[in-house]
Amino acid sequence: MSHQSYPAFNYTPLQPGCIRVLRPDIELNGDTTWTMDAIQLEEDRPFDALSYVWGDQSQTFPFICNNQEFRIHHNLSNALPCLAKRDSPRPIWIDALCINQRDEDEKAAQIRYMDRVYRRATQVWIWFGCATEKTSEAISLLPRLKYVLGRVIAAPSLDRPTFQSLGLPSSRDPLWKEVLEISCNVWFERLWVVQVGSTLGYRDQSSPRKS
């Protein structure tokens, strides 16, 4: 990471009906900087959005955008390198950055747009945290697990099935620990998850815990 000094980020006020979106620029030395632009929400301009938990706010990290510096929290700092390399040419909306959190009037206006932001987004990326070597395999198992549970619930009178007979890994397989961690992720504890989930449905885009 370059040690160049940057001025503190200064927001340009938004016009009514506008949101901000971010585009990454990965430089030859591997550093990533970002550009922030404003767009009309109702324009036919595709963009992605991020759904995640802010998490621990006690430590901040530098984030360079428009040649200015933000200070961002740990969870978002982990997410941004993956988002910069995601398989999408579209800009992305991230609430902590694209809304001026120090402007209460702007926050109030932008919060009213959030349902439309998620509905208008071409793709919503859900950040659960940094992946492990078992994450992709665990996510791939979820549809099978959903099918099996539905089958068992629908026919409780069947002979007691085994993991093997249901086509599932052994009960001792360490993969189940990863499945449990995904299922119990703090993201599911937030009230707005119900709204986001009903808006999106489920779309698996695995690799570092996003969908």
Side-chain angles (χ1 to χ4, degrees):
M1 168 82 59
S2 169
H3 296 289
Q4 179 179 347
S5 178
Y6 295 90
F9 191 87
N10 183 45
Y11 283 95
T12 300
L14 286 170
Q15 297 298 314
C18 287
I19 61 170
R20 301 182 184 94
V21 290
L22 293 155
R23 293 182 183 276
D25 179 20
I26 301 177
E27 301 174 359
L28 292 178
N29 64 2
D31 287 353
T32 302
T33 58
W34 294 71
T35 301
M36 180 182 290
D37 297 307
I39 63 171
Q40 280 285 342
L41 182 55
E42 298 306 325
E43 284 183 359
D44 189 21
R45 293 180 62 179
F47 65 90
D48 292 347
L50 176 67
S51 178
Y52 72 113
V53 174
W54 282 28
D56 182 12
Q57 305 287 299
S58 62
Q59 188 176 10
T60 62
F61 302 83
F63 167 68
I64 306 306
C65 181
N66 292 1
N67 289 316
Q68 301 171 76
E69 182 177 300
F70 272 104
R71 302 298 299 186
I72 61 174
H73 54 79
H74 184 260
N75 198 30
L76 186 54
S77 179
N78 283 338
L80 283 168
C82 295
L83 294 168
K85 298 174 183 178
R86 71 195 192 282
D87 185 20
S88 169
R90 297 177 293 271
I92 189 166
W93 177 89
I94 302 173
D95 61 350
L97 299 173
C98 295
I99 300 174
N100 184 351
Q101 302 295 327
R102 297 183 178 181
D103 185 330
E104 294 299 326
D105 291 337
E106 178 179 306
K107 280 174 62 177
Q110 290 288 299
I111 286 171
R112 290 195 292 270
Y113 294 155
M114 286 181 68
D115 179 69
R116 288 157 61 192
V117 167
Y118 284 116
R119 291 181 183 278
R120 283 273 294 105
T122 302
Q123 187 165 24
V124 175
W125 298 78
I126 299 175
W127 176 256
F128 280 180
C130 295
T132 72
E133 61 181 16
K134 290 283 188 179
T135 296
S136 292
E137 188 179 355
I139 290 176
S140 297
L141 180 62
L142 295 179
R144 175 65 185 173
L145 185 59
K146 177 183 176 182
Y147 167 77
V148 165
L149 289 174
R151 198 175 136 204
V152 170
I153 292 170
S157 61
L158 292 176
D159 293 338
R160 180 178 297 178
T162 65
F163 282 78
Q164 183 177 8
S165 69
L166 294 171
L168 297 173
S170 163
S171 61
R172 297 180 180 180
D173 193 311
L175 182 62
W176 289 111
K177 181 177 182 293
E178 184 70 19
V179 170
L180 181 62
E181 289 185 2
I182 292 172
S183 302
C184 297
N185 190 279
V186 67
W187 184 83
F188 293 106
E189 298 176 9
R190 303 301 297 270
L191 182 62
W192 43 254
V193 165
V194 176
Q195 178 183 4
V196 173
S198 64
T199 299
L200 306 178
Y202 174 75
R203 289 178 286 178
D204 176 15
Q205 294 290 331
S206 39
S207 178
R209 295 190 186 175
K210 53 187 181 289
S211 65

